[in-house]
């Protein structure tokens, strides 16, 4: 026989107040009104940060920005564009400049949501513009906070912090600078091949597999011409995969990992840049049968822990690779701004990003993926108030 326990009225009232308080907080954190979206593209050269400048992408991500704007519009979401009727076959005309004037123009035109499809940093107008401050509670932003990106876009910084904290599987790495004795440093590395790459890179720019000290020295000298610091990493010879981690949203309150996407057809050990080879030609979602390998679940959990640690407010993409065939995976690259191209506009059928491939494995088309990301947009004020965990 079931026993009924009377709950005191004071407890019921306290629970009710807590539930109401939570609902109010969530309403403040996420927008409940129909969005009016403006997509921003990169029109500002990133500054030199700790002596290093991140290379600017030609076109400033207007290709993916146009994909985002067009596809959201096709889903019935109101989009504002700098051109009255941008042409579907062109990248230009869909996105606003990320300069202060460009962002203010979106606000004057009624935007409630800014999709920051650009590279952010501490001095970016989204962080510093006093003219935007009066709108800090009413404008919502899709993207990572500038303070997060300024630190965590530095591969050496983030890898070093994860190594200090422990609990993450990482390859060995070395940092070489202009002040080092290059010959001495290169010959101190006790394993080859290794990968040389910039600490603030974009895609596969400057990433090269080096098979011996002479080749590494030549590559590092080239990289040091554009950056005072270069990262050299143990080469992971096994399967490469990538994992998109989604941030909390009204629909799902915790961080969670999308299905892994496995990569193949590498060029000299390195996945080619998507601007040269579409990722649909060398990537696919991992099958249910393959997911029986516990190594996938383990690295998905580690990827989720990274997003939780840095408190990401938009998707991050974690590139992982096995040390050797059949071994465990290691985290080797954490992308704060994953590529977000996708099919939708005519002629873009093969332009699914790695995140879009993972979404398709869950039954989401590209437009649904964008809607899910948009739902997690944060108020500009919250965006600006971000504080690093480090």
């Amino acid at each position: 026989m079931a026993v009924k326990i009377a709950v005191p009225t004071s407890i019921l009232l306290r629970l009710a107040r807590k539930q109401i308080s939570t609902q109010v907080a969530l309403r403040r954190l996420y927008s409940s009104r129909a969005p009016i979206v403006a997509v921003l593209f990169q029109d500002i050269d990133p500054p030199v940060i700790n002596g290093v400048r991140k290379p600017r992408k030609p076109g400033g991500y207007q290709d993916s920005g146009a994909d985002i704007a067009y596809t959201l519009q096709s889903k019935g979401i109101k989009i504002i564009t700098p051109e009255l009727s941008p042409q579907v076959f062109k990248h230009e005309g869909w996105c606003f400049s990320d300069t202060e004037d460009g962002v203010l123009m979106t606000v004057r035109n009624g935007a409630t949501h800014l999709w920051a499809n650009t590279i952010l940093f501490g001095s970016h107008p989204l962080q510093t513009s006093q003219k935007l401050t009066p709108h800090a509670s009413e404008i919502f932003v899709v993207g990572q906070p500038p303070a997060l990106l300024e630190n965590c876009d530095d591969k050496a910084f983030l890898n070093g912090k994860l190594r200090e904290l422990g609990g993450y599987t990482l390859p060995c790495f070395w940092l070489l600078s202009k002040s080092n004795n290059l010959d001495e440093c290169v010959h101190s590395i006790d394993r080859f091949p290794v990968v040389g790459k910039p600490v603030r890179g974009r895609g596969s720019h400057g990433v090269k597999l080096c098979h011996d000290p002479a080749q590494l020295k030549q590559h590092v000298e080239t990289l040091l011409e554009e950056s005072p610091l270069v990262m050299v990493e143990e080469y992971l010879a096994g399967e490469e995969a990538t994992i998109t981690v989604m941030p909390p949203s009204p629909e799902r309150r915790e961080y969670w990992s999308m299905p892994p996407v496995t990569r193949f057809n590498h060029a000299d050990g390195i996945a080619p840049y998507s601007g040269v080879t579409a990722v649909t030609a060398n990537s696919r979602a991992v099958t249910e049968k393959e997911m029986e390998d516990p190594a996938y679940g383990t690295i998905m959990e580690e990827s989720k822990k990274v997003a939780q640690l840095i408190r990401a407010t938009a998707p991050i993409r974690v590139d992982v690779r096995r040390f050797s065939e059949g071994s465990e995976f290691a985290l080797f690259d954490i992308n704060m701004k994953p590529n977000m191209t996708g099919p939708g506009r005519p002629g873009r059928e093969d332009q699914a990003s790695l995140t879009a491939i993972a979404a398709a494995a869950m039954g989401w088309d590209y437009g649904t993926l964008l809607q899910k990301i948009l739902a997690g947009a944060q108020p500009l004020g919250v965006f600006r108030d971000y504080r690093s965990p480090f």
Side-chain angles (χ1 to χ4, degrees), residues 3-188:
V3 178
K4 294 184 178 180
I5 300 174
V7 180
T9 303
S10 60
I11 293 178
L12 290 173
L13 287 171
R14 195 157 58 244
L15 289 171
R17 282 196 294 268
K18 184 177 180 181
Q19 185 177 20
I20 292 169
S21 175
T22 301
Q23 290 171 346
V24 169
L26 288 171
R27 280 199 297 271
R28 289 174 181 163
L29 189 59
Y30 304 110
S31 177
S32 58
R33 57 181 171 171
I36 302 171
V37 180
V39 180
L40 305 178
F41 76 93
Q42 184 186 22
D43 201 18
I44 304 175
D45 282 321
V48 174
I49 301 171
N50 297 326
V52 182
R53 188 192 298 274
K54 186 182 180 80
R56 182 176 174 183
K57 181 181 178 181
Y61 303 98
Q62 288 185 84
D63 56 344
S64 54
D67 292 338
I68 292 166
Y70 174 87
T71 306
L72 285 175
Q73 188 176 68
S74 72
K75 286 283 189 177
I77 292 172
K78 188 170 182 180
I79 303 294
I80 59 171
T81 55
E83 291 185 10
L84 187 60
S85 299
Q87 296 182 42
V88 70
F89 295 103
K90 288 189 175 181
H91 303 328
E92 298 77 17
W94 291 93
C95 309
F96 290 86
S97 164
D98 67 343
T99 59
E100 182 180 49
D101 286 345
V103 177
L104 289 171
M105 186 185 298
T106 71
V107 175
R108 287 195 296 270
N109 280 280
T112 62
H113 288 63
L114 305 179
W115 193 301
N117 191 43
T118 182
I119 300 299
L120 301 176
F121 38 85
S123 58
H124 194 279
L126 282 176
Q127 181 70 37
T128 62
S129 171
Q130 293 300 308
K131 294 177 181 178
L132 282 172
T133 300
H135 307 282
S137 62
E138 61 198 48
I139 294 293
F140 289 75
V141 181
V142 175
Q144 307 292 2
L148 184 160
L149 275 166
E150 182 141 328
N151 283 334
C152 295
D153 211 26
D154 183 323
K155 301 178 194 304
F157 174 86
L158 185 53
N159 280 24
K161 292 298 182 183
L162 296 180
R163 196 175 300 276
E164 286 174 18
L165 289 168
Y168 299 92
T169 309
L170 299 160
C172 293
F173 77 98
W174 302 262
L175 293 175
L176 306 183
S177 72
K178 290 181 177 179
S179 62
N180 293 140
N181 181 319
L182 194 53
D183 282 310
E184 194 175 290
C185 289
V186 165
H187 284 93
S188 71

Side-chain angles (χ1 to χ4, degrees), residues 356-371:
I357 291 172
M362 299 171 50
W364 293 358
D365 64 13
Y366 176 56
T368 300
L369 168 65
L370 298 178
Q371 288 176 298

